[in-house]
Amino acid sequence: MDPVVIPILVAAIVVVFLVAATVRIVPQARRYNIERFGRYRRTLQPGLNFVLPVADRVNTKLDVREQVYSSDPKPVITEDNLVVNIDTVLYYQITDPRAAAYEVADYLHAIDQLTVTTLRNVIGSMDLEGTLTSREEINARLRAVLDDATGKWGIRVNRVEIKAIDPPNTIKEAMEKQMRAERDKRAAILHAEGERQAKILTAEGTKQKDILEAQGTQQAMILRADGESKAVKLVFQAVHRNNADAKVLAYKYLETLPHLAQSDNNTFWVIPGELTEAIRTVTTAFGDQASGTAPPPGAQREDATDADASDKDHVGAPEVEANSTLALDAVAAADEAAKQAAVAVSDAKAEAEAAGETRLPGREQASGD
């Protein structure tokens, strides 16, 4: 090999080594601490950087992104002397690479121990129930203490979260029983409330039903009474308009008597005292007209008076002649009404005697016989 080539190769190798030792490329979100002869010189930023070969060296490489650190469960004693295991999650970020490298030897271990001591101080002033229900308060107090202590280390604590709080197994069983009892209590209360509401609604529905039925019955009775009143009024007006005499009224009276004994619930039948008088009036009136016998003078005067009054009120009222077909039909109708009345009286007497409740007056029994 040519002697000139060897020095050139050596010089090239030296130049490459010096260039490699001089140039430092720092990735994004990274920081390099540079020491010159063992003393901190500066912190390299992301990008292309130049250092003195041999004199400068990289001491620490730090990641300035937000980091997550999960600690192991730590036993903590509460105010009511119960031991609980608590896991925490820490979110932190390096803000000063120089302080993080030179102010504390191991910042993660330091943060972990500071978290444990702070938890013991905070939870030691709370009972178990307060510990389980006050996570937000514990997190806030932890963050305040850690942020204040780690500020000089070049670290900012962004968030501290309690991941789990594990009480002893006996406490867990007691808490489960208590929760089960509370659920059973709420279920019983809700069931009782439901039954109470159902009974109230049922009572209100029954009340509304009774009210509506009573109102319907009242309206029906009012309408029925109104209809009967109008019917009686129309009958009364028809009777006066047609100038019905005593013979027609007596006939209708006898015609109504058989209907009194038609009900199945009747155990006895009271015969009105006017029955014999009505029969005698109809029989005598229509019998006298059929035979052509003149009425007595007093009756003639009464008939004349009634006729005059009738002539004044109703002009042209019909008169029944003695030998007319109407007179014969009236006599036959009166006889038939008398027979029906007698049959009805006999049936009523038989039913009353069978029931043992015969209450007929002496005169009415004689009239019925």
Side-chain angles (χ1 to χ4, degrees):
M1 179 179 293
D2 191 356
V4 179
V5 176
I6 295 174
I8 295 173
L9 292 177
V10 173
I13 293 171
V14 171
V15 170
V16 171
F17 175 75
L18 292 175
V19 170
T22 303
V23 176
R24 292 288 185 271
I25 299 175
V26 180
Q28 184 66 34
R30 299 292 191 276
R31 301 292 186 273
Y32 292 173
N33 290 327
I34 301 299
E35 293 180 351
R36 180 172 294 177
F37 299 112
R39 184 176 180 180
Y40 173 77
R41 177 64 179 175
R42 61 190 177 117
T43 300
L44 300 182
Q45 300 298 321
L48 181 63
N49 296 273
F50 297 96
V51 296
L52 293 178
V54 181
D56 295 341
R57 71 181 185 89
V58 178
N59 181 25
T60 54
K61 298 179 180 180
L62 300 176
D63 191 346
V64 295
R65 293 175 296 180
E66 186 174 8
Q67 305 292 322
V68 180
Y69 175 73
S70 178
S71 64
D72 296 331
K74 300 295 190 299
V76 180
I77 300 176
T78 61
E79 186 181 13
D80 46 357
N81 296 325
L82 291 176
V83 179
V84 294
N85 295 322
I86 299 180
D87 298 345
T88 58
V89 178
L90 181 67
Y91 297 85
Y92 69 94
Q93 185 177 11
I94 297 176
T95 58
D96 188 358
R98 187 194 65 79
Y102 296 102
E103 294 295 334
V104 60
D106 188 355
Y107 58 87
L108 287 179
H109 181 70
I111 291 174
D112 187 23
Q113 295 301 316
L114 183 60
T115 302
V116 172
T117 56
T118 306
L119 275 176
R120 288 175 179 173
N121 293 332
V122 172
I123 295 178
S125 61
M126 296 182 179
D127 56 2
L128 178 62
E129 185 176 358
T131 302
L132 296 176
T133 58
S134 303
R135 291 196 176 192
E136 293 296 333
E137 181 182 355
I138 296 173
N139 293 337
R141 294 176 66 177
L142 273 176
R143 182 181 179 279
V145 173
L146 291 176
D147 195 18
D148 182 63
T150 58
K152 63 182 180 178
W153 298 340
I155 297 173
R156 183 177 69 246
V157 176
N158 297 326
R159 188 185 307 171
V160 179
E161 296 289 341
I162 295 178
K163 184 167 62 175
I165 299 176
D166 295 328
N169 294 329
T170 56
I171 301 301
K172 288 182 179 180
E173 294 176 358
M175 292 172 63
E176 290 178 357
K177 292 180 180 180
Q178 182 180 1
M179 293 173 62
R180 191 179 302 112
E182 289 291 335
R183 291 191 183 96
D184 294 339
K185 176 183 176 181
R186 289 195 296 269
I189 292 174
L190 292 176
H191 182 69
E193 287 290 336
E195 290 184 351
R196 185 174 72 90
Q197 292 294 332
K199 290 181 180 179
I200 291 174
L201 294 176
T202 302
E204 290 180 354
T206 304
K207 176 184 175 182
Q208 293 296 329
K209 176 184 175 183
D210 295 340
I211 291 174
L212 293 176
E213 289 180 352
Q215 291 178 352
T217 304
Q218 179 186 9
Q219 294 294 330
M221 293 177 65
I222 291 173
L223 294 176
R224 192 179 298 112
D226 190 14
E228 292 178 356
S229 173
K230 291 181 178 179
V232 171
K233 184 177 180 181
L234 291 175
V235 172
F236 183 77
Q237 291 176 358
V239 169
H240 283 275
R241 185 168 58 251
N242 295 327
N243 193 19
D245 55 4
K247 294 175 288 183
V248 176
L249 297 177
Y251 172 72
K252 296 301 290 182
Y253 182 77
L254 294 175
E255 188 181 16
T256 307
L257 289 177
H259 297 285
L260 298 177
Q262 290 181 359
S263 177
D264 296 334
N265 297 326
N266 291 337
T267 56
F268 65 94
W269 189 40
V270 179
I271 301 175
E274 295 84 0
L275 176 61
T276 55
E277 186 66 25
I279 295 174
R280 188 180 300 112
T281 301
V282 173
T283 305
T284 303
F286 289 101
D288 292 343
Q289 289 183 3
S291 60
T293 305
Q300 290 178 357
R301 288 193 300 271
E302 293 177 359
D303 292 341
T305 305
D306 294 339
D308 293 338
S310 177
D311 291 339
K312 294 179 181 179
D313 296 336
H314 303 280
V315 180
E319 296 181 358
V320 180
E321 297 180 359
N323 296 325
S324 63
T325 305
L326 180 60
L328 295 177
D329 293 339
V331 172
D335 293 338
E336 184 64 24
K339 291 178 182 180
Q340 292 180 359
V343 171
V345 171
S346 299
D347 293 341
K349 286 181 63 180
E351 293 179 0
E353 290 175 358
E357 297 181 358
T358 305
R359 301 178 183 178
L360 298 176
R363 189 183 71 176
E364 294 175 350
Q365 289 181 355
S367 301
D369 294 335

